[in-house]
Amino acid sequence: MDFYRKRRLDSALCALALLLSACLTPAAAAADAAGQEQPQTLTAAQVRQMEQTDAAVTALTTGGEYGQLSPDQRQQAAQQQLEQLERQGLVQPGSVYTDAENGMVSFTYSCGVLGGILLADPEEENSPQLNLPPDEEEFTTVEQMGSAAIYYAFDNTVNSSRYPYYAYMQSYWTSVGLDTDLDTGVTVSDLKHMGDYDVCMLSAHGAYYTYQYGWLWKRQATAPIILLTQEADFWSDLRYGGDLLNHRIIKVNGMYAVTGDFFRNAYRGGGLQDTIVLSETCEFYGRSGRMDRSMVDALLSGGASVVVGYVNNVYSVYSRSMMWQIVNRLLHGDTISQAVQYGLDRYGKNDIIWYNAQGGRKPHAVASYPIISGNHSARLVPPVTECPETVPDVTAEAA
């Protein structure tokens, strides 16, 4: 074979490899293989079509009847709704996938954006009232010890049983020198400014998202996602078009959720600048037997010094109390490893141990526990001698 024929054959094989890559890998991986991303903008027509789908999904999930249905009935209702949208050309044919184990029906909008319908309300929890006793020890001196942000996306704070405790933490930490912002209307854009703080706390619901891809052979991929309360609308869809098309943002129940790829893209070049990240979200590390580091690895690649998060569904009281003690111990001068260990010694090595110790009788099926990734010796301030230990009264919920 002469040189030029060999070059033509090599080129043809490369083209075939890229084609197969596009068929066999998720969109983001295919884009990387081709050296470019998917299109960076959505058209107004595509957004209007998504609006029709979102309106139908929202009408289903916010209707009074949906909340009264069993998980199996919700699954059937979601499938029927999406099948109807598929017949209308608003959902891609064959893209609807039901992941009953993780409580999600996923689908793909006609334009290629990923969507989902939750089969369970993240707020649903039938545990008894569990209280933790207050135990307070004030700092005797106050000095500036950095900045922090609580990204609170559990609810809209109206009649919330959670919000008062976060407001207390924000007020207290600020009073002792950790200038703390409490963001109660977390948007996708807000999450692009985490590098402005020394400590960032992701206080939101999490889920495990499963979707299908490929047109020659159907494959599946899963990823942890962080659920926001920001509702999708026409202008936001246009603004976030690149992230939506490249699956860095997913729309669940008509609201935005972010994947690990969102953080990887937002903080390319190390924009997190040694930030300490504490996550309360469920399944941040995936699930037992199916661990997933995509979220934490993305944050570390973006410059975070250390990331602490949970595997499995975690009781938010446990995660909130752990966060309270971790931040307080960081203010005391502990390393992140020492701070987490202090919380574990106080509340138990997992949330079921804590739950049972508080008198709970119906714990969830699998225990959740914190995992540290990154620099275990990271500190917020040099060691000091005083540390607050107030533990607000709390009730058991799932993150």
Side-chain angles (χ1 to χ4, degrees), residues 20 104 106 128 142 192 218 267 276 301-302 310 315 329 386:
L20 290 174
M104 181 85 71
S106 61
V142 176
K192 295 183 179 181
K218 287 291 184 183
Y267 295 106
I276 295 171
S301 72
Y310 291 86
Y315 286 124
R329 296 307 300 183
E386 297 84 16

Side-chain angles (χ1 to χ4, degrees), residues 353-367:
I353 290 176
W354 164 82
Y355 178 89
N356 291 334
Q358 303 307 311
R361 293 293 180 265
K362 296 180 180 179
H364 51 203
V366 183

Side-chain angles (χ1 to χ4, degrees), residues 6-24:
K6 184 176 185 300
R7 286 288 299 273
R8 287 195 297 271
L9 179 59
D10 288 344
S11 297
L13 290 174
C14 287
L16 179 59
L18 286 174
L19 175 61
L20 290 174
S21 177
C23 297
L24 298 176

Side-chain angles (χ1 to χ4, degrees), residues 91-382:
V91 168
Q92 286 188 6
S95 69
V96 177
Y97 176 78
T98 300
D99 183 356
E101 179 184 5
N102 291 303
M104 181 85 71
V105 179
S106 61
F107 64 92
T108 304
Y109 293 84
S110 58
C111 60
V113 170
L114 295 179
I117 298 177
L118 288 172
L119 299 179
D121 184 347
E123 292 289 347
E124 288 177 350
E125 182 65 34
N126 55 9
S127 357
Q129 296 285 320
L130 300 179
N131 296 320
L132 295 177
D135 181 13
E136 183 168 322
E137 179 183 339
E138 300 287 348
F139 278 97
T140 58
T141 59
V142 176
E143 59 185 34
Q144 182 58 40
M145 289 184 281
S147 62
I150 304 173
Y151 290 96
Y152 180 91
F154 280 124
D155 52 44
N156 63 5
T157 76
V158 177
N159 298 321
S160 170
S161 62
R162 305 172 190 258
Y163 172 69
Y165 304 106
Y166 290 86
Y168 173 84
M169 289 188 280
Q170 182 268 335
S171 176
Y172 183 80
W173 287 330
T174 297
S175 74
V176 298
L178 181 64
D179 187 13
T180 305
D181 290 337
L182 176 56
D183 185 350
T184 58
V186 184
T187 67
V188 170
S189 297
D190 291 343
L191 294 179
K192 295 183 179 181
H193 296 281
M194 292 168 57
D196 297 342
Y197 301 94
D198 299 307
V199 181
C200 285
M201 290 156 270
L202 299 172
S203 298
H205 291 297
Y208 214 33
Y209 184 86
T210 302
Y211 64 97
Q212 296 187 96
Y213 62 90
W215 55 273
L216 283 182
W217 296 277
K218 287 291 184 183
R219 305 280 299 276
Q220 289 181 5
T222 58
I225 58 175
I226 297 176
L227 303 172
L228 304 182
T229 54
Q230 181 186 9
E231 295 184 2
D233 60 34
F234 180 86
W235 296 110
S236 293
D237 280 351
L238 284 178
R239 181 181 184 183
Y240 303 142
D243 284 323
L244 286 162
L245 286 167
N246 287 283
H247 302 166
R248 297 188 285 262
I249 300 175
I250 295 170
K251 301 212 289 186
V252 177
N253 287 21
M255 293 178 283
Y256 296 120
V258 298
T259 68
D261 282 341
F262 168 81
F263 293 111
R264 188 178 299 278
N265 181 71
Y267 295 106
R268 287 180 296 184
L272 281 174
Q273 303 176 11
D274 295 327
T275 300
I276 295 171
V277 179
L278 309 177
S279 173
E280 292 192 77
T281 64
C282 289
E283 300 180 321
F284 187 78
Y285 275 89
R287 305 181 65 173
S288 297
R290 192 164 54 182
M291 298 283 285
D292 191 310
R293 292 183 54 90
S294 59
M295 193 72 74
V296 64
D297 286 345
L299 289 163
L300 291 173
S301 72
S305 62
V306 64
V307 181
V308 180
Y310 291 86
V311 65
N312 298 319
N313 290 331
V314 59
Y315 286 124
S316 68
V317 179
Y318 179 81
S319 66
R320 178 168 69 228
S321 301
M322 285 288 294
M323 184 178 75
W324 169 250
Q325 293 297 348
I326 289 170
V327 173
N328 288 338
R329 296 307 300 183
L330 288 173
L331 292 173
H332 182 71
D334 284 3
T335 66
I336 189 68
S337 181
Q338 292 170 331
V340 171
Q341 188 59 52
Y342 182 91
L344 293 175
D345 291 342
R346 187 180 185 96
Y347 301 119
K349 65 181 180 180
N350 63 56
D351 66 342
I352 288 183
I353 290 176
W354 164 82
Y355 178 89
N356 291 334
Q358 303 307 311
R361 293 293 180 265
K362 296 180 180 179
H364 51 203
V366 183
S368 182
Y369 50 88
I371 299 175
I372 306 172
S373 293
N375 180 10
H376 287 225
S377 298
R379 295 179 189 269
L380 178 62
V381 296

